Amino acid sequence: MSTPQQAAELLKRKQLIEEKLEKTGKKKEYEEFLKKRLIECGWKDEMKKQCMEIIKTKGIEKIKLEDLTEEMMPKGKAMVPETVKNELLQKIQDFIEQDPDYKQQYDFQAN
């Protein structure tokens, strides 16, 4: 279990990483990488298929976009293959390991 201080520290690190990714253009690059990989592994087609099934079951007239999104969001996250998650995480980790500000601020040492 994490303490409030640990949670605050994690949030601070997450914000720093997100800021660095945004400023350097890596965020956009990684988003494109993720889109490409999700298409390659069939995730997008499977999501489309499941959405169509839900619409077919509930009826197009009776379903709202918000309801469909709410239902599909957890399914979509769960369906992302571990290999894709790990590839993206590795790219982010490699980027952070090379960032001098992050290393200095958190006394980070690459393994």
Side-chain angles (χ1 to χ4, degrees):
M1 189 177 286
S2 66
T3 66
Q5 293 86 0
Q6 289 170 324
E9 181 62 28
L10 284 174
L11 180 61
K12 183 178 173 185
R13 284 184 184 215
K14 182 179 182 238
Q15 289 171 334
L16 175 64
I17 291 168
E18 288 175 355
E19 184 180 298
K20 290 285 183 181
L21 291 171
E22 188 71 45
K23 282 184 180 178
T24 61
K26 288 290 185 182
K27 180 179 179 182
K28 191 81 165 157
E29 178 184 325
Y30 295 161
E31 285 172 351
E32 290 303 315
F33 166 80
L34 182 58
K35 285 178 192 176
K36 180 181 174 215
R37 289 294 290 124
L38 290 174
I39 290 168
E40 290 173 353
C41 73
W43 178 90
K44 184 178 178 184
D45 291 336
E46 185 59 32
M47 288 292 291
K48 184 188 262 185
K49 182 178 156 187
Q50 287 198 23
C51 284
M52 295 304 288
E53 280 300 314
I54 292 169
I55 292 168
K56 194 176 187 180
T57 303
K58 295 186 178 186
I60 189 108
E61 315 79 26
K62 296 181 182 177
I63 193 160
K64 296 179 192 167
L65 179 59
E66 296 82 20
D67 297 335
L68 184 60
T69 302
E70 187 177 316
E71 188 169 338
M72 288 303 299
M73 188 70 74
K75 289 180 183 181
K77 287 181 181 181
M79 288 172 37
V80 175
E82 286 300 315
T83 54
V84 175
K85 290 178 188 178
N86 290 337
E87 289 170 11
L88 181 58
L89 181 60
Q90 188 61 55
K91 285 182 167 293
I92 295 169
Q93 213 168 350
D94 291 347
F95 171 75
I96 291 302
E97 286 176 359
Q98 301 304 313
D99 185 78
D101 295 334
Y102 189 86
K103 285 182 184 180
Q104 181 182 10
Q105 187 165 351
Y106 293 104
D107 194 28
F108 177 77
Q109 297 296 316
N111 295 338

